[in-house]
Amino acid sequence: MEGYRTIAAPAQEEFVEKRSRFIGQIAPVEGEEEALAFINAVRERHREATHNVYAYILRENQMTRFSDDGEPQGTAGKPVLEVVQREGLVDVAVVVTRYFGGVLLGAGGLVRAYAQGAKTAVDAAQVLNMQPAALLEVDMGYDFYGKATYILPKHEVQLLESVFEEGVRLRLLCKKARLPALTQELRELSSGTVAPLVTEEKFAHFPEG
């Protein structure tokens, strides 16, 4: 399993190019049904717009779709799609709405404007770096708690919860790629008495850098 990049929440930004108003809108989607629902919601919100150009990319079946929505072929939907691809985003839908301002932009101008609309929407969103991850539970005595929490940052592990009862139980989120090294260090430091238990495997956001 490889990681992927998506966004946290819907976002939008707009600009004016030669009196045409362009509104870039982006949303996270989990499938084609959600993508189409977002596109239709934007269309409904901007019923008076001249064009609602869209593109979406899904992890499911590696699906990509785009539409020029009445603009000259190749000048709108494809530039929007290409921006999303360059940004490395998946499970997102983008709609660039245009209110025509009376001045023709020409083919090159349209390509640049729709690409800019997509880029401004992406820039307005919070990008999530999703990585294969494991939710862990680790049981230990109080004497080992300090050592355990000290090594977690080295392995880029997120501490989700600490439960203090007869012993200590930590609930952790760890990149799957880091799990073997974390397990080995915990075992070595505890003389084999402490090891993480994987309770769930999922994709999770880990800040880049």
Side-chain angles (χ1 to χ4, degrees), residues 4-15:
Y4 65 94
R5 283 161 53 88
T6 189
I7 64 168
Q12 74 173 55
E13 191 56 80
E14 63 180 83
F15 64 95

Side-chain angles (χ1 to χ4, degrees), residues 138-146 149 159 161-171:
V138 187
D139 291 317
M140 65 195 69
Y142 281 88
D143 57 336
F144 192 71
Y145 172 69
T149 54
L159 176 59
E161 185 181 19
S162 302
V163 179
F164 301 98
E165 295 177 339
E166 289 185 11
V168 181
R169 171 169 291 177
L170 303 183
R171 293 191 173 94

Side-chain angles (χ1 to χ4, degrees), residues 12-204:
Q12 74 173 55
E13 191 56 80
E14 63 180 83
F15 64 95
V16 175
E17 178 68 24
K18 293 184 179 177
R19 295 193 293 191
S20 279
R21 179 187 176 206
F22 289 87
I23 310 167
Q25 299 135 107
I26 189 169
V29 293
E30 291 191 359
E32 190 167 27
E33 186 176 336
E34 283 192 17
L36 295 174
F38 170 68
I39 292 162
N40 289 331
V42 173
R43 282 175 171 161
E44 181 65 22
R45 190 161 64 245
H46 294 288
R47 281 176 294 179
E48 304 303 316
T50 319
H51 306 280
N52 285 294
V53 168
Y54 70 78
Y56 56 89
I57 299 180
L58 305 174
R59 282 189 300 143
E60 182 183 3
N61 300 322
Q62 298 182 318
M63 182 182 294
T64 60
R65 297 284 187 273
F66 65 88
S67 168
D68 293 313
D69 193 35
E71 293 282 30
Q73 185 175 354
T75 64
K78 192 171 184 181
V80 170
L81 177 67
E82 288 174 346
V83 167
V84 180
Q85 289 173 325
R86 280 198 303 272
E87 296 290 328
L89 298 175
V90 295
D91 286 352
V92 296
V94 178
V95 182
V96 180
T97 297
R98 181 189 185 190
Y99 287 87
F100 182 57
V103 178
L104 295 175
L105 300 182
L110 287 173
V111 169
R112 288 189 295 273
Y114 279 105
Q116 183 180 344
K119 186 67 165 68
T120 57
V122 171
D123 290 347
Q126 179 193 357
V127 174
L128 300 179
N129 179 38
M130 305 296 287
Q131 297 289 325
L135 288 172
L136 311 174
E137 288 188 354
V138 187
D139 291 317
M140 65 195 69
Y142 281 88
D143 57 336
F144 192 71
Y145 172 69
K147 288 181 182 178
T149 54
Y150 179 76
I151 70 170
L152 296 183
K154 180 172 71 173
H155 296 283
E156 302 176 66
V157 176
Q158 298 176 15
L159 176 59
L160 304 179
E161 185 181 19
S162 302
V163 179
F164 301 98
E165 295 177 339
E166 289 185 11
V168 181
R169 171 169 291 177
L170 303 183
R171 293 191 173 94
L172 310 172
L173 180 65
C174 177
K175 291 181 183 179
K176 285 190 73 175
R178 304 289 308 213
L179 182 56
L182 173 68
T183 301
Q184 181 179 349
E185 186 161 7
L186 286 173
R187 286 186 182 278
E188 288 176 353
L189 286 176
S190 67
S191 301
T193 62
V194 175
L197 172 68
V198 177
T199 60
E200 183 183 346
E201 294 185 356
K202 58 186 285 187
F203 283 95

